[in-house]
Amino acid sequence: AALAGVVEYRNVTFAYPGAESPVLSNISFTARPGQTIAIIGSTGAGKTSLLSLLPRLYDPAEGQVLLDGVPVDRLDRAEITRRVALVPQRPYLFSGTIGHNLRFGKTEATDQELWDALLVAQGESFVREKKNGLDSRISQGGTNVSGGQRQRLCIARALVTKPRVYLFDDSFSALDVATDARLRAALKRTTSDATVIIVAQRISTITEADQILVLDNGRIVDRGTHEELLETSPTYQEIVES
Ligand code: CTP
Ligand code: MG
């Protein structure tokens, strides 16, 4: 189907503009609708860089990134934005109301759609408890909400756009383990036919992923399920034990 949300990286190599050595080398994987693909690896391994190539924040030097079989550099950006939502590692809230912030990607969303998204993102109760609800003010940079609240608002913002593909860059790190688990269970229910790619630090966030890619120094060194990697991957074992 044309709007399925299949993501494919094919032999992708990438260097930042002006840099000599690549930060990603020969990356290949496929993520299909209904699947959750997790990416794990130490700081600087290239996880954020890898995600950034799908919404074309950068383009690879070699290889291709495809969305539903079409190289993303042949799609227009509005089309990519409609299909792909990236929750960045440092999620950004701007000065305005919570409603304004949640409608950032879909200005015509109804209040009900915002509440539905907040419910999944485990942000419903803290917004409801605010005197002005969706009309509560957020200060520039979101300094008047906690780190975990900011993450949940940015996840809700992505949900509002109902994309085919979700990219979560370390989006659960500021949440306590219980909230993280509840959020992912709710996410799984509402995004069951979407393609989900999760970068995570915490192993418990990704144990149920269909496939885990272990990234080390810009290369996928191992891949498999949690159980498989525990058996086969020394790099993964190190991360689990750390
Ligand atoms: N890098 C760079 N220029 C940028 C961003 C990153 O040269 N604008 C480099 C970093 O210094 C790092 C490599 O690219 O050596 C990979 O960075 P990144 O993809 O951000 O690594 P992550 O795996 O996302 O690291 P973290 O876990 O800390 O988020
Ligand atoms: Mg990162």
Side-chain angles (χ1 to χ4, degrees):
L3 293 173
V6 180
V7 173
E8 186 185 354
Y9 281 53
R10 208 180 271 172
N11 304 317
V12 168
T13 293
F14 168 65
Y16 281 97
E20 279 179 16
S21 47
V23 295
L24 295 170
S25 302
N26 206 29
I27 300 289
S28 294
F29 69 93
T30 303
R32 297 194 166 78
Q35 285 186 329
T36 298
I37 304 296
I39 301 166
I40 198 157
S42 57
T43 183
K47 305 180 294 296
T48 296
S49 307
L50 188 155
L51 292 188
S52 74
L53 302 180
L54 181 59
R56 293 195 66 204
L57 304 179
Y58 297 96
D59 286 325
E62 287 169 46
Q64 279 185 319
V65 177
L66 303 107
L67 184 57
D68 294 321
V70 181
V72 287
D73 59 5
R74 281 199 229 141
L75 295 169
D76 66 61
R77 284 175 193 276
E79 180 69 19
I80 300 174
T81 309
R82 263 198 302 284
R83 288 199 241 173
V84 179
L86 166 65
V87 180
Q89 191 165 13
R90 278 174 212 81
Y92 190 74
L93 296 173
F94 52 83
S95 160
T97 66
I98 289 179
H100 292 143
N101 272 278
L102 294 179
R103 281 194 182 86
F104 181 68
K106 190 185 179 192
T107 47
E108 71 277 20
T110 63
D111 280 5
Q112 189 56 50
E113 288 178 278
L114 304 190
W115 286 113
D116 290 347
L118 284 168
L119 204 57
V120 174
Q122 309 300 305
E124 191 254 357
S125 57
F126 85 78
V127 176
R128 193 158 32 77
E129 280 160 19
K130 284 186 177 289
K131 186 158 55 78
N132 295 318
L134 293 171
D135 296 326
S136 309
R137 306 289 306 176
I138 296 279
S139 56
Q140 179 83 31
T143 48
N144 62 339
V145 295
S146 76
Q149 289 171 342
R150 189 179 322 152
Q151 282 193 330
R152 284 177 280 170
L153 290 175
C154 290
I155 292 166
R157 173 195 280 163
L159 285 160
V160 167
T161 67
K162 298 192 174 71
R164 298 299 311 149
V165 182
Y166 289 91
L167 306 176
F168 294 111
D169 193 350
D170 208 9
S171 303
F172 314 103
S173 57
L175 308 177
D176 60 80
V177 173
T179 305
D180 177 3
R182 267 202 312 279
L183 198 162
R184 282 180 300 100
L187 211 52
K188 213 175 168 75
R189 285 193 296 275
T190 36
T191 66
S192 60
D193 60 353
T195 306
V196 178
I197 303 179
I198 293 183
V199 166
Q201 304 283 352
R202 192 153 56 203
I203 292 286
S204 66
T205 308
I206 60 157
T207 47
E208 284 162 37
D210 297 288
Q211 181 165 233
I212 300 166
L213 309 177
V214 184
L215 205 61
D216 187 28
N217 201 10
R219 294 175 186 275
I220 298 175
V221 291
D222 290 303
R223 66 180 80 201
T225 63
H226 174 69
E227 286 73 22
E228 287 164 355
L229 290 169
L230 282 179
E231 295 286 321
T232 60
S233 171
T235 314
Y236 190 71
Q237 288 157 12
E238 256 175 55
I239 295 167
V240 171
E241 281 156 20
S242 68

